[in-house]
Amino acid sequence: MNQPKKVLILGVNGFIGSSLVWNILEKTDWVVYGMDMFSNKIENCLGHDRFKFFEGDITINKEWIEYHVKKCDVIIPLVAIATPALYVKKPIEVFELDFEANMEIIRKCVKYKKRLIFPSTSEVYGMSKDSQFDEYESNFVLGPIPKGRWIYSCIKQLLDRVIYSYGEHQGLDYALFRPFNFLGPKLDDINEPKEGSSRVVTQFLHNIIHGRPIKLVDGGEQRRCFTFIDDGIDCLLRIIENKDGKASKRIFNIGNPEMNYSIAELATMLVSLVKEYDEYKERAEKAEIVTVHSNEYYGEAYQDITHRVPSIKEAKEQLGWEPKVDLETALRLTLDYHLKNEDYELNRKHLR
Ligand code: UDP
């Protein structure tokens, strides 16, 4: 008889990790071993008999990691700094964690011949001119060295190339996935963000409810394809399942090409949705939307991406996956969680 899959998730308390573990426990018979420095986002999973949590740090608890890489079938290292403001402000920390610490884990997967599912990023395509970014065709276009924003993209690109090469030359079984602006409950803490330290949806929400102006960087004409976390997780579950080996040695964009909005449109939509929540109505009615120059907001090392649309042909063909949730629904569910303290996991069940 087949044993249930054993999945190791490092960074299990993060935005993707916390949602992934909950879905695995709900929908599969897999066993999850998870490590994180915190556990505030996975309280609903702690104590589950198929979830073993260890509070630890990937840069310190290396023996725990090695033991569990050996023990598990699939390794998903999700620990990384993935916030553009920090690429600009703390590039060395980004390199040490995102590259160096993760390289050690990748090598352990090679050593013990374990399947590696690794987060690449939509950021690797950089300023590519392609109208849709294709995993196997698009060129990567990054700015010059003093434009520090690209360090994250560059690190992830090199990791992708290293993993791919381990696959070609040393038999590593891997899948690389590239999230396109995932959003949803638990993305960032809306009460925390200092100006410019969080991702756009959380930042805007924070500004509205704290009575601060929403700042559109360089006018907010730049566009992103937003992807609801549940759609992203659905794709990840298919990658982990790896039916007929279709996710092996492949790269997948995970994004929603239909949810292509400018940042200015996102701001307007958020303001009008927040008006529906009685407690915050007044603040939303007073919300101001202003424009700031990117140099002023992020500093000289910033450079932006005007459009970022995924081709999702690969995920459709290999995995039969398609995103389902539109932006308004995605934002409403995110707002319900943050503004009404609604039990997000229960809400999710109604989605299905
Ligand atoms: N942005 C903005 N105002 C903010 C925060 C972000 O206009 O307060 C813009 C940012 O310049 C970028 C887009 O929103 O063009 C998305 O930013 P995010 O940090 O979410 O991630 P990115 O998509 O750039 O990786």
Side-chain angles (χ1 to χ4, degrees), residues 98-270:
D98 294 17
F99 189 83
E100 292 187 311
N102 277 286
M103 250 335 286
E104 291 187 30
I105 294 155
I106 293 165
R107 287 206 178 95
K108 288 192 175 77
C109 295
V110 177
K111 180 172 168 191
Y112 295 110
K113 303 196 182 313
K114 295 303 166 117
R115 181 149 179 260
L116 171 68
I117 299 180
F118 197 80
S120 174
T121 170
S122 53
E123 186 93 10
V124 289
Y125 299 105
M127 299 174 288
S128 166
K129 293 264 181 283
D130 296 358
S131 56
Q132 289 212 326
F133 299 163
D134 182 285
E135 298 91 335
Y136 296 99
E137 299 292 334
S138 289
N139 291 324
F140 299 160
V141 183
L142 310 188
I145 300 300
K147 296 291 178 192
R149 189 245 162 89
W150 302 113
I151 194 160
Y152 175 75
S153 171
C154 187
I155 286 166
K156 287 289 191 180
Q157 181 188 154
L158 185 53
L159 289 169
D160 286 4
R161 292 185 189 280
V162 168
I163 291 168
Y164 174 86
S165 302
Y166 275 127
E168 291 293 288
H169 298 282
Q170 298 190 22
L172 176 70
D173 184 5
Y174 70 86
L176 297 170
F177 66 94
R178 298 189 174 144
F180 280 66
N181 290 77
F182 282 12
L183 72 94
K186 303 185 181 177
L187 173 58
D188 303 295
D189 182 345
I190 57 161
N191 293 311
E192 279 244 324
K194 292 189 285 304
E195 193 79 303
S197 70
S198 136
R199 281 156 290 201
V200 66
V201 173
T202 329
Q203 187 68 54
F204 285 179
L205 190 52
H206 170 87
N207 293 14
I208 298 168
I209 66 172
H210 289 91
R212 304 201 178 113
I214 289 182
K215 295 187 175 170
L216 298 177
V217 170
D218 297 332
E221 291 304 307
Q222 62 277 43
R223 303 180 78 81
R224 294 292 185 273
C225 287
F226 295 96
T227 309
F228 190 52
I229 182 75
D230 286 18
D231 279 329
I233 296 296
D234 177 23
C235 189
L236 269 178
L237 290 176
R238 291 165 194 249
I239 292 174
I240 302 170
E241 186 187 14
N242 198 19
K243 201 163 166 232
D244 305 324
K246 294 232 173 161
S248 271
K249 297 196 179 181
R250 286 192 195 275
I251 309 170
F252 296 101
N253 288 337
I254 308 183
N256 191 336
E258 305 299 321
M259 293 233 285
N260 187 0
Y261 291 86
S262 75
I263 300 302
E265 287 165 348
L266 172 77
T268 314
M269 204 176 205
L270 256 181

Side-chain angles (χ1 to χ4, degrees), residues 46-57:
L46 295 173
H48 193 291
D49 58 358
R50 282 185 288 114
F51 181 45
K52 325 283 171 203
F53 176 68
F54 175 74
E55 193 176 293
D57 180 333

Side-chain angles (χ1 to χ4, degrees), residues 9-21 34-46 51 53-56 78-79 185-187:
I9 306 178
L10 303 171
V12 72
N13 188 58
F15 174 46
I16 295 179
S18 60
S19 193
L20 181 60
V21 63
M35 180 202 267
D36 206 294
M37 298 199 287
F38 307 102
S39 58
N40 58 308
K41 294 183 184 176
I42 47 170
E43 273 160 9
N44 52 356
C45 302
L46 295 173
F51 181 45
F53 176 68
F54 175 74
E55 193 176 293
L78 298 175
V79 177
K186 303 185 181 177
L187 173 58

